[in-house]
Amino acid sequence: QEPEFNFDHLVNEHANMSPEKLTQAARDLYGQELENEAGDGNDMEIDDPPPQQHPQRMPYPPLNYRNNEMEQQQQNRNPNEAPAKLELLLTQMDQALEVIQDKEAYELGLFMNPDYLESKKFLTMFLRSDNYNPQAAAKRMVLYWDRKVQLFGVEKAFRPLRIPTDFQPQDETAAANGGFRLLPERDEAGRAIIFSYRRYYDNRHDRIDSMLRLFWCIAHAALDDPEEGDDVQKDGVVGITANGMDDIAADSMLQACSNHLQFYTAFYNDLLNVLPIKVAGIHMFAPNPWVKLLIEHVLKLQGPHVRARLQIYDGTTEENLENLEDYGITPDMVPAELGGALDFNYHDWFMRKGAEDAARYGRG
């Protein structure tokens, strides 16, 4: 089936972005204050001339990645995080919740565990994910509780997610393989990195919810981290996604692509509309025609916000790693599956995370 949104559409959409949106997307991808190629320390003006288009990547303003302590401090000074302003936004969010009529799961949660649902820490997470828009945050939170009940059931929905307690028996393969992984290293801007590797997915057509439960748990492992969770909520998450299925036969790949499309329809709905997570950038590795075909079908699902923060790589391993460094992701942060130097033992992490969750939340 011909994709509804292909690479030509992506290039055109990108070319027609306003300078303000283009600059904001670049800032999200780089994760820092940016400077022009002259290196004079001045932020780029939005009317600077456009860059030459890279053959594998979407063009962005002629900005260089830079990272120093002063800029990090400037970035973290968000007026919406000031205590008085945050209290006002939380009040407005509560008022927006009152207006929403259809919120059965949310109201059930208020009955079962009001301390958790009404905690300032939890509510603030939704404000951050929607750029401190209280109406949008309220809508997202209502959808979040509806979806969480669907995926995890009433007994497990209204409390923090726990690994491996909250997986179901049919999730065993998805959880063991780790098709989604929270990497131990943060990028140069301090953002969490989630690695998606389709070779490790449970690709069976009746395991879509298993993969979604895994992603929810991995996302919350980043958002709820007791030491770095607040920073992740403010600065966003960077995704690195790859296929790893180059040696699979064409008929098997076609079936896998079909299953992936069903999965990604639900996945991007959760990512964009439900989970309190800010997407700072997605780096997609597309080494073969099958993967490019799948990506073209996925592009429409991503929506304009994510597409503006998307980079696609189909060069050599060396070229791809070099390009990632432009965005503050160095080879030591990239998994060995993609040619990087990060030797990450997912199974050790999974066991350790389970023990930490048990100690923090209990096993019940």
Side-chain angles (χ1 to χ4, degrees), residues 89-107 117 122-146 273-276:
L89 290 170
L90 289 170
T91 299
Q92 292 173 340
M93 183 178 170
D94 185 61
Q95 292 169 347
L97 281 167
E98 291 293 329
V99 175
I100 299 175
Q101 298 296 316
D102 187 8
K103 50 187 176 184
E104 182 178 348
Y106 169 71
E107 291 174 337
L117 271 72
F122 181 79
L123 295 172
T124 301
M125 184 164 57
F126 286 86
L127 279 172
R128 290 167 175 162
S129 69
D130 275 302
N131 198 29
Y132 302 93
N133 180 322
Q135 289 75 30
K139 180 180 178 181
R140 181 181 296 270
M141 192 173 72
V142 168
L143 294 174
Y144 172 90
W145 291 120
D146 289 343
N273 304 314
V274 179
L275 283 163

Side-chain angles (χ1 to χ4, degrees), residues 107-182:
E107 291 174 337
L108 177 60
L110 284 179
F111 174 77
M112 296 183 66
N113 192 355
D115 290 342
Y116 179 54
L117 271 72
E118 295 183 310
S119 71
K120 180 178 178 179
K121 182 178 180 64
F122 181 79
L123 295 172
T124 301
M125 184 164 57
F126 286 86
L127 279 172
R128 290 167 175 162
S129 69
D130 275 302
N131 198 29
Y132 302 93
N133 180 322
Q135 289 75 30
K139 180 180 178 181
R140 181 181 296 270
M141 192 173 72
V142 168
L143 294 174
Y144 172 90
W145 291 120
D146 289 343
R147 188 75 173 116
K148 196 175 181 186
V149 168
Q150 289 177 0
L151 285 174
F152 294 93
V154 172
E155 291 184 359
K156 298 177 179 179
F158 303 113
R159 57 167 176 72
L161 289 177
R162 311 170 195 177
I163 290 177
T165 307
D166 290 343
F167 290 118
Q168 299 182 11
Q170 64 268 31
D171 303 341
E172 181 178 0
T173 299
N177 290 353
F180 291 103
R181 302 181 175 191
L182 176 62

Side-chain angles (χ1 to χ4, degrees), residues 237-355:
V237 170
V238 174
I240 300 177
T241 177
N243 189 59
M245 301 171 70
D246 301 349
D247 58 345
I248 292 181
D251 57 344
S252 298
M253 179 63 81
L254 189 61
Q255 180 59 51
C257 285
S258 175
N259 292 343
H260 286 328
L261 286 174
Q262 296 178 51
F263 165 74
Y264 279 124
T265 299
F267 170 80
Y268 277 108
N269 176 67
D270 287 358
L271 181 66
L272 298 177
N273 304 314
V274 179
L275 283 163
I277 194 167
K278 183 186 296 183
V279 179
I282 294 182
H283 302 271
M284 277 188 170
F285 286 72
N288 64 47
W290 285 109
V291 180
K292 292 176 183 176
L293 176 62
L294 175 61
I295 289 175
E296 285 200 334
H297 281 280
V298 168
L299 286 173
K300 182 175 176 62
L301 301 172
Q302 292 179 330
H305 179 87
V306 170
R307 287 195 297 264
R309 289 152 180 79
L310 172 68
Q311 290 294 307
I312 299 172
Y313 306 83
D314 62 357
T316 66
T317 297
E318 292 75 17
E319 290 171 340
N320 293 338
L321 292 176
E322 182 180 349
N323 289 336
L324 274 176
E325 284 197 77
D326 290 345
Y327 302 101
I329 303 174
T330 55
D332 60 302
M333 304 171 187
V334 180
E337 288 88 344
L338 300 183
L342 178 63
D343 184 16
F344 176 55
N345 190 317
Y346 165 77
H347 299 96
D348 284 354
W349 176 89
F350 189 88
M351 296 299 293
R352 188 168 60 252
K353 183 67 170 65

